[in-house]
């Protein structure tokens, strides 16, 4: 234990120390909102692509559809501000559904958010790399490796610390917001575009029906992914956590809403149409500022933000996983924090899952897009429905108005989810429909296992007083060394009876070695019996397992402890210098006996031979 760990700290000082690695409102915007903010680069374009099916006149509906999305955004922001206040421990849709809709609903919300976070990390990285390879086509063949490198960099930054990673992303976030403001501002001030949009659509107008508008609405709702991340990660903020998280949620809603409306106005003003070679945002930037240094700077900033959008997942999923672990739905290691207040196991699993997706999709954003945004709308719907029930149960002043807002949001998100599923089902959305129930089943199995373990351990129960149980210590040995002496000494300290066992093979050389070893043992005379276990097969585990089974049957009420002495390497890369008999015996005894306790005694070389000079080679192998 380090000295600083053992030194008591006043509660206030301890809280200040923890808060040093937590987020301010601005840092929270940079760490948890990049997904939502960067979505303006592809959300409005998704609307344009759908409406273009109705011809040039269909694009006139871009602004009304965008306004509908902004209304939904406002509803979600208001709702999640209430979620933050009601659930300051974080968890978002998972926490709301767990309290008001039941266990199954909460697990569905958790599974859907897990899928969305992993997809968001993969999509953000692949989209950023795609923008880079579009500018430098020679890198296209290495896009998968580029994706993995970018993902590794983002993972490394997040392992340093949440607040530290947020500070790294503050400057790119502010630059991106300024870049979009320049595009919108310059476009609104111009009567004619500097560079006309490159798309071409027929002027003939096809029928514009409600289904087309709903599909455009659902496609544009991809701009809303990430809105829930702040509510999921409330514990990551400095005190007062709920208030800072609410301020961050409001900032996100205002900035994102203004950017979406501004881009929609420019799309209508400049008649920006879909293009196979240039994104809608790039067309608007060229129309507003021209194709100059500022244009390429805006494109570069957009590329960086798309890649960094994966950071929202690294801020949200580890916190969600920690809550699931505390509720016994994930392994408890996901609830452990590292020194800089990061959930490194959650970060690691997210990075590995995103890397698998990137490799499987060969770094193609279009291969991942059909799966994107479906999971988050499941969470949106459950969260809204849960908050309706929350207000109904609270019956606080104004509860009916708040319940109406949440109910409206539930209806809108349910409609968007249905359209997303129908329109993208054959393109790969069916995979999400399969994965979410499998994750729910996985969470349930872990919970059942923890219930069984808790019952067997007697957690939360009044236990019987401790009793002294007769014990037999069995020490497997192969030769005399200081390691053997330490293991036998440990056995004499722990048990009433100690025996040493050695496996004897039938080869001539082995028989000579065994005879020499027995002579050494008798000369040493440790007052411990050495039992030879002959075998015709060159296998270490079975003879020892057979011996332990016989001793178990001989006295079922006696505790048998196997002490396996091992050398702890001075450096991790020296493990291959030592034999691996400990691991072999551990596996064999664990699987072959019913109630034998295995203890692997790892001794450091400096403890075994403190008086030896460096470079001394032992006469017998350890």
């Amino acid at each position: 234990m380090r000295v600083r760990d053992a030194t008591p700290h006043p509660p206030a000082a301890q809280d200040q120390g923890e808060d040093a690695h937590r987020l301010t409102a601005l840092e929270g915007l940079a760490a948890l909102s990049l997904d939502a903010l960067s979505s303006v680069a592809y959300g409005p374009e998704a609307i344009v692509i759908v409406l273009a099916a109705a011809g040039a006149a269909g694009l006139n509906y871009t602004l009304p559809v965008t306004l509908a999305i902004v209304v939904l955004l406002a509803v979600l922001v208001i709702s999640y501000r209430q979620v933050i206040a009601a659930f300051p421990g974080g968890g978002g849709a998972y926490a709301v559904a767990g309290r008001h809709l039941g266990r199954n609903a909460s697990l569905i919300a958790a599974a859907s958010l897990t899928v969305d976070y992993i997809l968001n990390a993969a999509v953000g990285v692949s989209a950023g790399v795609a923008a880079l390879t579009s500018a430098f086509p020679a890198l296209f063949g290495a896009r998968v490796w580029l994706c993995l490198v970018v993902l590794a960099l983002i993972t490394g930054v997040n392992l340093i610390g949440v607040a530290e990673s947020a500070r790294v992303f503050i400057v790119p976030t502010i630059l991106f917001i300024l870049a979009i403001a320049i595009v919108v501002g310059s476009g609104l001030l111009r009567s004619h575009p500097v560079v006309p949009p490159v798309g071409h659509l027929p002027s003939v107008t096809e029928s514009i029906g409600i289904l087309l508008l709903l599909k455009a609405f659902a496609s544009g709702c991809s701009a809303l992914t990430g809105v829930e991340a702040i509510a999921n990660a409330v514990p990551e903020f400095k005190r007062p956590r709920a208030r800072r998280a609410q301020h961050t949620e409001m900032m996100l809603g205002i900035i994102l809403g203004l950017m979406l409306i501004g881009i929609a106005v420019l799309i209508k003003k400049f008649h920006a149409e879909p293009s196979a070679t240039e994104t809608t945002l790039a067309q608007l930037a060229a129309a507003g500022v021209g194709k100059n240094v500022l244009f390429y700077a805006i494109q570069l900033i957009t590329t960086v933000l798309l890649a960094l959008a994966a950071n929202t997942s690294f801020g949200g999923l580890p916190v969600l996983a920690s809550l699931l672990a505390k509720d016994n739905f994930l392994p408890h290691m996901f609830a452990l924090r590292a020194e800089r207040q990061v959930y490194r196991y959650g970060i690691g699993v997210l990075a590995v899952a995103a890397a698998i997706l990137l490799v499987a999709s060969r770094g193609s954003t279009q291969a991942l897009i059909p799966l994107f945004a479906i999971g988050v709308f499941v969470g949106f719907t459950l969260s809204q429905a849960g908050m309706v029930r929350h207000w109904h149960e609270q019956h606080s002043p104004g509860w009916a108005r708040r319940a109406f807002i949440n109910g409206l949001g539930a209806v809108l998100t349910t409609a968007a989810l249905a359209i997303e599923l129908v329109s993208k089902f054959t393109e790969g959305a069916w995979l999400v429909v399969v994965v979410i129930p499998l994750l729910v089943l996985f969470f349930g199995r872990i919970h059942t296992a923890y219930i069984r373990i808790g019952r067997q351990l007697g957690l939360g129960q009044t236990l019987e007083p401790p009793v002294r149980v007769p014990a037999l210590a069995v020490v497997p040995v192969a030769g005399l060394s200081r390691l053997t002496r330490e293991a036998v000494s440990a056995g004499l300290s722990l048990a009433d009876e100690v025996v040493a066992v050695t496996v004897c093979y039938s080869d001539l050389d082995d028989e000579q070695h065994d005879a020499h070893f027995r002579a050494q043992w008798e000369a040493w005379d440790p007052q411990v019996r050495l039992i030879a276990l002959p075998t015709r097969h060159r296998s270490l585990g079975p003879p020892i397992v057979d011996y332990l089974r016989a001793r178990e049957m001989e006295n079922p009420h006696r505790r048998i402890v196997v002490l396996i002495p091992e050398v702890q390497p001075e450096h991790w890369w020296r493990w291959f210098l030592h034999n691996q008999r400990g691991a072999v015996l551990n596996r064999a005894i664990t699987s072959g006996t019913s109630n034998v306790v295995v203890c692997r005694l790892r001794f450091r070389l400096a403890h075994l031979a403190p008086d030896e000079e460096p470079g001394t080679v032992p006469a017998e192998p350890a």
Side-chain angles (χ1 to χ4, degrees):
M1 179 180 289
R2 295 168 297 183
V3 174
R4 62 176 179 177
D5 289 336
T7 304
H9 299 283
Q14 199 168 19
D15 290 342
Q16 290 178 358
E18 291 183 0
D19 271 1
H21 299 291
R22 298 187 190 271
L23 303 171
T24 63
L26 181 60
E27 291 169 351
L29 188 70
L32 302 171
S33 302
L34 294 183
D35 177 18
L37 293 176
S38 65
S39 64
V40 300
Y42 52 80
E45 184 172 12
I47 299 174
V48 171
I49 291 174
V50 174
L51 293 178
L59 299 181
N60 293 329
Y61 290 86
T62 301
L63 182 57
V65 171
T66 301
L67 290 175
I69 293 173
V70 171
V71 169
L72 178 56
L73 170 64
V75 171
L76 289 173
V77 168
I78 294 172
S79 172
Y80 277 110
R81 277 176 57 85
Q82 300 301 329
V83 170
I84 291 168
F87 298 89
Y94 168 68
V96 176
R99 179 177 297 182
H100 299 294
L101 300 179
R103 168 182 155 175
N104 290 334
S106 69
L107 294 183
I108 292 173
S112 61
L113 289 174
T114 299
V115 170
D116 186 71
Y117 277 135
I118 295 173
L119 283 168
N120 173 67
V123 168
V125 170
S126 64
V129 171
L132 179 65
T133 56
S134 296
F136 303 97
L139 298 176
F140 184 79
R143 64 191 184 278
V144 175
W145 289 108
L146 288 172
C147 287
L148 296 178
V149 168
V150 172
L151 180 63
L153 290 174
I154 296 174
T155 303
V157 169
N158 278 274
L159 287 173
I160 294 174
V162 178
E164 286 74 7
S165 67
R167 295 182 189 116
V168 172
F169 298 147
I170 284 177
V171 173
T173 302
I174 294 175
L175 289 177
F176 179 75
I177 294 173
L178 290 176
I180 300 300
I182 291 172
V183 171
V184 174
S186 60
L188 293 176
L189 292 175
R190 293 187 183 278
S191 57
H192 299 286
V194 178
V195 179
V198 298
H200 296 285
L201 286 178
S203 57
V204 178
T205 302
E206 300 292 338
S207 60
I208 302 175
I210 186 65
L211 291 179
L212 184 66
L213 293 176
L214 289 175
K215 185 176 181 180
F217 172 80
S219 297
C221 280
S222 59
L224 301 181
T225 57
V227 173
E228 80 294 341
I230 296 170
N232 289 338
V234 179
E236 298 293 344
F237 285 86
K238 295 179 182 290
R239 299 176 187 273
R241 296 193 176 102
R243 187 180 304 172
R244 290 184 187 274
Q246 286 180 320
H247 291 339
T248 305
E249 189 77 52
M250 182 60 72
M251 283 193 294
L252 169 61
I254 293 173
I255 294 172
L256 180 57
L258 290 176
M259 289 196 299
L260 289 174
I261 293 174
I263 290 174
V265 170
L266 294 187
I267 289 173
K268 182 178 180 181
K269 180 178 181 179
F270 294 142
H271 304 288
E273 300 169 352
S275 170
T277 59
E278 199 170 0
T279 65
T280 300
L281 184 59
Q283 293 182 55
L284 297 179
V289 302
K291 288 197 172 181
N292 47 32
V293 175
L294 184 57
F295 168 82
Y296 289 104
I298 292 172
Q299 290 301 103
L300 178 61
I301 293 170
T302 303
T303 299
V304 172
L305 255 290
L306 282 168
L308 296 183
N311 194 66
T312 298
S313 296
F314 284 92
L317 181 59
V319 176
L320 176 63
S322 73
L323 295 175
L324 285 165
K326 291 174 183 176
D327 292 338
N328 296 323
F329 291 113
L330 276 181
H332 290 166
M333 64 181 182
F334 286 95
L336 300 178
R337 283 181 181 269
E339 184 175 0
R340 292 180 176 269
Q341 301 298 313
V342 296
Y343 298 104
R344 57 186 176 189
Y345 293 104
I347 291 174
V349 170
L350 171 60
V352 171
I356 292 173
L357 280 178
L358 289 169
V359 173
S361 64
R362 297 184 178 180
S364 172
T365 304
Q366 295 305 316
L368 297 170
I369 283 294
L371 311 178
F372 193 45
I374 294 176
V376 74
F377 274 96
V378 175
F380 282 163
T381 301
L382 291 173
S383 176
Q384 300 289 322
M387 288 305 294
V388 171
R389 190 163 185 176
H390 173 79
W391 297 125
H392 184 268
E393 292 177 355
Q394 291 286 321
H395 266 273
S396 56
W399 73 270
R401 174 177 55 84
R402 296 187 180 95
F404 173 78
I405 293 175
N406 293 131
L408 176 62
V411 171
L412 294 176
T413 54
T414 301
L417 174 62
I419 297 169
E420 288 272 358
L421 285 173
V422 171
S423 61
K424 297 180 179 180
F425 191 83
T426 57
E427 300 175 12
W430 62 268
L431 185 60
V432 178
V433 177
V434 172
V435 169
I436 289 177
L438 289 178
L439 278 177
V440 172
L441 181 63
F442 175 68
F443 295 153
R445 289 293 180 88
I446 290 179
H447 190 69
T448 302
Y450 273 128
I451 290 175
R452 184 174 63 253
I453 292 171
R455 187 182 302 115
Q456 292 171 341
L457 292 177
L459 297 178
Q461 301 176 13
T462 302
L463 302 178
E464 300 82 2
V467 295
R468 184 180 181 87
V469 179
L472 166 66
V474 179
V475 183
V477 295
L480 282 185
S481 67
R482 286 172 176 163
L483 192 64
T484 307
R485 181 194 65 188
E486 292 292 342
V488 172
S489 299
L492 292 171
S493 303
L494 294 174
D496 305 289
E497 179 186 356
V498 181
V499 297
V501 296
T502 183
V503 176
C504 302
Y505 302 112
S506 56
D507 295 346
L508 179 62
D509 291 340
D510 291 314
E511 290 177 352
Q512 293 176 350
H513 170 76
D514 293 337
H516 177 64
F517 177 41
R518 282 194 295 271
Q520 284 184 311
W521 189 273
E522 292 173 0
W524 182 37
D525 191 20
Q527 302 300 311
V528 171
R529 284 188 301 154
L530 176 64
I531 300 175
L533 304 176
T535 179
R536 291 180 296 175
H537 306 285
R538 298 201 65 83
S539 181
L540 182 64
I544 295 179
V545 169
D546 291 340
Y547 171 77
L548 293 172
R549 284 176 177 171
R551 300 306 296 265
E552 278 186 307
M553 295 177 62
E554 176 186 298
N555 187 351
H557 302 291
R558 179 174 53 183
R559 176 164 295 155
I560 301 177
V561 182
V562 178
L563 303 177
I564 304 175
E566 297 177 283
V567 171
Q568 177 68 44
E570 294 177 341
H571 302 284
W572 65 268
W573 48 268
R574 290 187 178 178
W575 66 271
F576 65 91
L577 296 178
H578 305 277
N579 64 65
Q580 305 302 313
R581 286 179 294 189
V584 173
L585 282 175
N586 182 53
R587 287 194 298 268
I589 295 171
T590 302
S591 61
T593 61
S594 58
N595 196 31
V596 173
V597 179
V598 179
C599 181
R600 298 174 68 176
L601 303 175
R602 291 191 172 103
F603 295 97
R604 297 184 181 183
L605 286 173
H607 172 75
L608 292 174
D611 54 341
E612 290 291 333
E613 295 182 2
T616 302
V617 179
E620 295 290 338

